[in-house]
Amino acid sequence: MRVSVVILGGGGHARVLADALALDEGVAVAGVLDADPARRGSHVGPYEVVGDDSCVPALMERGVTHFVNGVGSVADAARRRRVFERATASGLLPLSVVHPTAFVAASARLAGGCVVLTRAVVGSGAIVSENVIVNTGAIVEHDCRIGPHAHIATGAMLGGDVTVGEESHVGIGATIRQGIHVGRRAVVGAGAVVVKDVPDNTVVVGVPAAPASPG
Ligand code: JB2
């Protein structure tokens, strides 16, 4: 029995997810919903944008049980979190997506609605919370703890035992040394090398990473 799914959001991140979903024979995508009326009738991969979120109840009546959060995030995870929470509140179940070229250790734990994309790695004993993006080629090493709604961006590398707080963003190609704790709603800039803990609500950039100067 295939799981009937709706993709919420029809932009670039949704297209990445559509590519992964199209490879999963256990999933049937009923369509895409997007808040922008201009996207109506366009396609996200092979899937048509059939309306906006007001269509969720009708889709559920037609047997859709799960959703995939196609709204990505960069520094600010608030929009993505809102989409996730509204969809779960409507009764849809969050579907996790793991690209077939990704490696997720048998002892790792993925919560609902997280995505592990092309050639990404989630190591032994790692815990990835709900609505997290482990983006293309990112490495989440053994025993890492990734909080809800966080984004580990393309090519980022986290050593063993790293923790990343909820809604935090680890930028493209950033490196976080093993054992480091990144707080909540923090941003690690692209290419940064983090060798000291990062407090909540802090932006760090550079090599070695240091708080970004305001302005
Ligand atoms: O509440 C919503 C909603 N809010 C925005 N419900 C639904 N169903 N759709 C919503 N959207 C739609 O998500 C917007 O109308 C827009 O079409 C889409 C977001 O697409 P956008 O092109 O703005 O970015 P993205 O989210 O696909 O990708 C971002 O995040 C990725 C991780 C970009 O920053 C990418 O560069 C990044 N790789």
Side-chain angles (χ1 to χ4, degrees), residues 97-125:
V97 179
V98 178
H99 194 280
T101 62
F103 173 76
V104 177
S107 57
R109 291 290 168 266
L110 302 182
C114 63
V115 297
V116 182
L117 297 174
T118 308
R119 301 181 66 81
V121 173
V122 177
S124 173

Side-chain angles (χ1 to χ4, degrees), residues 1 4-6 8 30-31 33 50 52-67 85-94:
M1 176 73 171
S4 183
V5 175
V6 63
L8 302 178
L33 300 180
V50 296
D52 62 22
D53 293 351
S54 65
C55 299
V56 166
L59 287 173
M60 292 179 73
E61 280 169 22
R62 283 174 26 206
V64 170
T65 55
H66 288 69
F67 75 96
E85 291 177 339
R86 215 170 35 221
T88 49
S90 69
L92 286 172
L93 299 172

Side-chain angles (χ1 to χ4, degrees), residues 7-14 33-36 39 51-53 70-74 79 83 86 133 135 151:
I7 299 175
L8 302 178
H13 185 57
L33 300 180
D34 195 288
D36 181 355
R39 289 200 190 266
D52 62 22
D53 293 351
V71 175
S73 65
V74 184
R79 178 181 73 164
V83 171
R86 215 170 35 221
I133 301 172
N135 218 321
H151 180 180

